[in-house]
Amino acid sequence: MRKWMTLLLLVLCSQAGAQSVERLYEEGKALYDAKKYTEAVKKLQPAAEKGHKKAQYRIGRCYDKGRGVKEDDKKAFEWYSKSAAQNYAKAQYEVGKCYKNGEGTAKNIAKAVEFFTKAAKQDNGDAQLALGKCYMKGKGVAADPAKAKNLLMKAVNNKKDGKEIIAKLKKDAKEGDDDAVAILKIVGK
């Protein structure tokens, strides 16, 4: 009987702990979205340290952009990597960007493609766009116009991110970005 009570207590405590981690994340995300970054970090950091993948991603964003903490590319990469290891697509995309640009880690285009691919397979529009560019230009992979077009079409038609991606491409094209002009032509926008 005593063993069962102990087991029941352990289960209840672990569920309460998971709920409190989720609550910390939700409160931190609300503060982050309200641009109260210093307060957000106080909620997100403990949730991230307890392994919450979305909190880890958000803390990575804080360090990446200097929101509520001093900007630190290395710490941003570390937090993004922890989240990406839990298969969180947004973090996988950010890890890919870090490798592509050499921010917080050594530049490694092959690793960037690896992480863009993981996120693109989870229907992340930004990763689809980034991976499409890689295939378009032959960066980290052999140039493949058909794969590039397929990925770029997925990006601009992405249910969650597509409209924002098109708007950014149009803005960049107006500012003279040759890649954006080429992509808009490829996708017929």
Side-chain angles (χ1 to χ4, degrees):
M1 177 79 167
R2 189 175 279 213
K3 286 181 184 179
W4 285 105
M5 292 300 284
T6 304
L7 182 61
L8 180 62
L9 262 168
L10 285 172
V11 169
L12 290 172
C13 287
S14 69
Q15 287 177 343
Q19 288 173 345
S20 66
V21 169
E22 186 63 31
R23 188 177 68 246
L24 279 171
Y25 167 71
E26 290 298 333
E27 290 171 1
K29 181 184 181 300
L31 290 163
Y32 183 96
D33 292 345
K35 297 182 178 18
K36 296 179 179 178
Y37 301 120
T38 303
E39 294 88 11
V41 169
K42 292 175 186 173
K43 300 283 184 174
L44 293 170
Q45 187 81 38
E49 288 170 356
K50 290 179 181 170
H52 193 286
K53 66 183 179 183
K54 291 181 180 180
Q56 291 170 336
Y57 163 77
R58 283 282 169 175
I59 285 293
R61 295 288 293 166
C62 289
Y63 281 108
D64 192 2
K65 305 296 181 189
R67 294 178 176 160
V69 291
K70 186 174 186 253
E71 189 172 323
D72 186 328
D73 289 344
K74 238 182 142 146
K75 284 185 179 179
F77 177 75
E78 289 170 11
W79 283 113
Y80 285 148
S81 295
K82 288 178 183 187
S83 180
Q86 295 187 66
N87 210 30
Y88 191 52
K90 287 182 178 183
Q92 290 169 331
Y93 166 69
E94 293 296 338
V95 169
K97 274 183 27 184
C98 290
Y99 278 121
K100 178 181 171 273
N101 300 323
E103 294 173 352
T105 189
K107 191 173 188 175
N108 185 330
I109 300 301
K111 281 282 207 186
V113 168
E114 175 188 330
F115 280 92
F116 289 154
T117 300
K118 288 177 182 182
K121 285 181 179 176
Q122 294 185 66
D123 203 31
N124 181 282
D126 291 322
Q128 291 165 338
L129 178 65
L131 189 57
K133 285 182 185 179
C134 291
Y135 279 104
M136 185 175 95
K137 300 176 97 179
K139 299 260 180 164
V141 291
D144 186 330
K147 277 187 181 178
K149 182 175 183 174
N150 182 42
L151 285 158
L152 296 171
M153 291 300 293
K154 284 182 179 181
V156 299
N157 293 316
N158 187 286
K159 289 177 185 159
K160 185 174 182 190
D161 305 317
K163 289 179 182 174
E164 290 174 16
I165 289 169
I166 292 168
K168 183 168 181 354
L169 286 168
K170 286 182 177 180
K171 178 183 172 279
D172 291 349
K174 278 185 181 177
E175 294 173 358
D177 183 328
D178 293 335
D179 287 346
V181 171
I183 291 167
L184 289 170
K185 187 176 178 183
I186 290 169
V187 299
K189 298 285 180 185

